Each structure stands twice: as structure tokens, then as C-alpha cells.
Amino acid sequence: MLVFTKTEELRYFRSSPYFIGKILGFVPTMGALHEGHGSLIAKSKEQADLTICSIFVNPTQFNDQGDLERYPRNTEADLDFLARRGCDIVFLPSVNEVYPPDLDTDLRIDFGKLTEVMESKFRPGHFDGVAQVVKRLLDITSPQKLFLGQKDFQQVAVIKHMIDQTGTGVDVWMCETIREEDGLAMSSRNLLLDEENRKRAPEIYSILQSAKGMYNEGETIPAIEAESNSRLKSAGFKPEYFQIVNGFNLLTPRTSSEENYLVACTAAWAGKVRLIDNIVIKAPKGAN
Ligand code: AMP
């Protein structure tokens, strides 16, 4: 496994004959790697000839300085994890390598409603930072395929939009959410949960599953949202939102029967840790 910390060195290598005729798959991460990240690496290894993974805790997507400082960092263990999974290349840049002072990396893209709903209401500017770093990393690594997790559903929509708007030619693969045995979506932030909240946390997925059940029984979307919000509260969480959206554009569905792709998304505080999760309530035609 090759590890690069310098942008120019990676770029130089990327233009070498080593890559001729090879499909490169890219998995961007912020480290503290777990099986969720592992599944993206596995998907890339299945769908591409070579896999590059970046580990970079991107300061521009944190709207809370404390959150950035608390974010778990575990580089040695991460490199070991990636080597064991057969990752070919790792990019481990410093902030200065990603954002050199003389380079304008601001994107100035209009994301429309995509960045007005859900996460964006509570984390203003977050997706500008996400789109900025992913564009920059795509420019440096030039992959043909990009692997992202469904766990961050809104993030996938925002990144796809950025890719369309900037004409960046890369195929996006959204990979299913990997969960702990008790249903909790794997997340680097789970490491920060205290014992009580770790016990409570799987309830979020149970509530998402119940929401899907209610939908299948013909309950209306506003009723499902209200019920799920109150279940989150009774379970001891502080929910920020529980929303069922059109999976293509993240808009509020007009009527549940008219929409053919519905996703229930939620963010809730479990003690001092903010958790997000989602479930597809109605899959688009052709999806399995
Ligand atoms: P992060 O390191 O949290 O920025 O995540 C890096 C990538 O891994 C993103 O595309 C996430 O959506 C994805 N990811 C994080 N957790 C999971 C999970 N439990 N299952 C699948 N993908 C995940």
C-alpha cells in the first residue's frame, strides 16, 4: 500500500504509466475507520482495478469548532485497517496540502433546496465545505468511480449535484449503510457515546423501521413524521428533524402515492453526540 501526504507527489504518480488502462476507485473519508468505510473499500475493489482512500478531517465542513476538535483521529490504526483490506493507495494530506493559501478552492455552486433542508438547517455551511473538499480531492486523485455511503444520504445528493455542475466526470456509487448487530448505523462518532447513550442509540433505527412499517400500512407522511419525532423524544433523544423526503430532490413529497422514491431521514442528539440515519421507505423502480 502506497501512502502519500503531498498533493504534488500523488499527482505525479497519478500521471504515471502505472494507471494506464486501469479504473481508479476513490473512497474519501475522515478516518477513524470502521466496517462502513470497509464496505466502500470492498465495493471499490469489486468495481475498480485500483482503490485510493483519503483520510482528511476537513475543517471547512465543521460549523462547530468543538466538534472538529473532538472528532476521533486514529491514523496508525486506519493505515493498518486499509492495508488489511487491500487498499492500494492512501492520501493523508495536511490542511495546507488540501487548501494551499494561493489556491481558490471555493466552489460558488447554487445547490438550491438541497442545502436548505434537513442537515443544512442545523449545520449551516456544512455542505459547502463537503462539496469543496470532495471537488478538491477529485481534482487531485482523478478517479473514474467515487464510492459514498447511503448513511449520509443528503451528502450523496449534494456531491452528485456538485459533480454535475462542475462537469467532473466521475461515476457515483451509493453504498448501503453498514450497521452494528443491534442496528446502530456505524459511525466514527459512535466512539464518543457514553454507555447509556450507546445503549439507547439503536432505537433510532427501530424508529426508522417503524416509520417504514407505518407507510406500508397506509399512514400519511405528516402523521408518520409526528409519531416518529415523539418516539425519538420518548426514547430519550433530542431530535433535530425526522423527515420523509423525495429521494431524488430531497423535497417534501406532495402526496406519498405520487412519489416513487421516499426516504425517511433523521438527526438526533444522544447525549452530547449527534447521530444521523435514514431508511428508504419506497425504492425507485429498478432498484433492488
Ligand atoms: P466519514 O469518514 O464519516 O466522512 O465517511 C466517509 C464515507 O463513509 C462517507 O461516504 C460515508 O457516507 C461513508 N460511511 C460512513 N458510515 C457508513 C456506514 N455505516 N455505512 C456505509 N457507509 C458509511
Side-chain angles (χ1 to χ4, degrees):
M1 187 172 77
L2 292 167
V3 181
F4 290 85
T5 56
K6 300 281 181 221
T7 301
E8 285 318 317
E9 286 174 15
L10 175 56
R11 279 220 169 129
Y12 185 72
F13 176 58
R14 180 67 181 94
S15 61
S16 72
Y18 182 74
F19 291 92
I20 291 176
K22 301 260 170 52
I23 300 287
L24 179 64
F26 176 42
V27 179
T29 81
M30 297 207 299
L33 301 178
H34 51 67
E35 291 304 323
H37 301 109
S39 75
L40 303 185
I41 299 285
K43 193 52 136 189
S44 175
K45 287 186 66 67
E46 181 192 301
Q47 297 295 333
D49 302 311
L50 293 168
T51 294
I52 179 163
C53 176
S54 63
I55 301 175
F56 178 62
V57 183
N58 174 37
T60 70
Q61 72 188 67
F62 284 81
N63 49 321
D64 170 352
Q65 188 63 26
D67 190 24
L68 172 62
E69 279 157 20
R70 278 193 303 273
Y71 200 84
R73 291 163 172 88
N74 216 342
T75 308
E76 285 309 307
D78 287 348
L79 290 175
D80 188 50
F81 179 97
L82 291 172
R84 277 186 284 115
R85 269 137 222 273
C87 180
D88 301 290
I89 307 157
V90 183
F91 186 39
L92 201 67
S94 65
V95 174
N96 251 314
E97 289 293 319
V98 177
Y99 303 120
D102 52 351
L103 188 73
D104 182 1
T105 55
D106 281 355
L107 282 179
R108 301 172 196 94
I109 289 176
D110 182 4
F111 288 102
K113 291 275 184 281
L114 290 181
T115 53
E116 287 173 21
V117 297
M118 300 195 289
E119 288 297 287
S120 303
K121 283 203 172 143
F122 298 91
R123 304 186 71 190
H126 167 64
F127 286 123
D128 293 318
V130 169
Q132 176 188 35
V133 75
V134 173
K135 174 72 171 95
R136 174 81 174 123
L137 293 170
L138 287 172
D139 286 347
I140 296 168
T141 56
S142 303
Q144 287 92 337
K145 297 184 178 179
L146 172 66
F147 297 88
L148 303 171
Q150 184 198 318
K151 182 183 158 258
D152 298 278
F153 189 78
Q154 188 172 2
Q155 172 167 286
V156 178
V158 168
I159 291 174
K160 279 185 175 169
H161 184 82
M162 176 277 284
I163 286 168
D164 286 348
Q165 292 292 304
T166 55
T168 311
V170 60
D171 283 342
V172 175
W173 291 67
M174 184 169 81
C175 306
E176 71 180 76
T177 303
I178 305 299
R179 300 178 180 281
E180 302 287 354
E181 268 178 25
D182 58 14
L184 173 63
M186 288 192 181
S187 164
S188 309
R189 287 195 166 85
N190 294 350
L191 294 170
L192 306 174
L193 289 165
D194 61 25
E195 206 183 321
E196 187 192 349
N197 282 296
R198 175 61 190 84
K199 268 199 199 139
R200 170 179 291 143
E203 267 301 302
I204 294 180
Y205 186 50
S206 308
I207 293 167
L208 284 163
Q209 285 176 308
S210 306
K212 183 173 183 164
M214 283 187 260
Y215 176 80
N216 289 334
E217 279 157 27
E219 197 54 89
T220 66
I221 286 174
I224 301 169
E225 289 174 342
E227 174 66 17
S228 304
N229 250 311
S230 85
R231 283 193 191 181
L232 282 167
K233 282 182 200 150
S234 322
F237 299 101
K238 286 206 185 85
E240 284 187 341
Y241 61 84
F242 187 104
Q243 242 178 297
I244 295 176
V245 296
N246 176 319
F248 294 116
N249 55 24
L250 310 186
L251 296 179
T252 303
R254 280 159 299 170
T255 63
S256 43
S257 53
E258 246 180 62
E259 308 280 355
N260 57 16
Y261 186 15
L262 293 173
V263 185
C265 303
T266 188
W269 289 89
K272 290 197 175 85
V273 183
R274 186 175 184 276
L275 299 173
I276 62 168
D277 202 352
N278 64 77
I279 194 168
V280 175
I281 291 228
K282 188 175 177 189
K285 282 203 184 73
N288 37 19

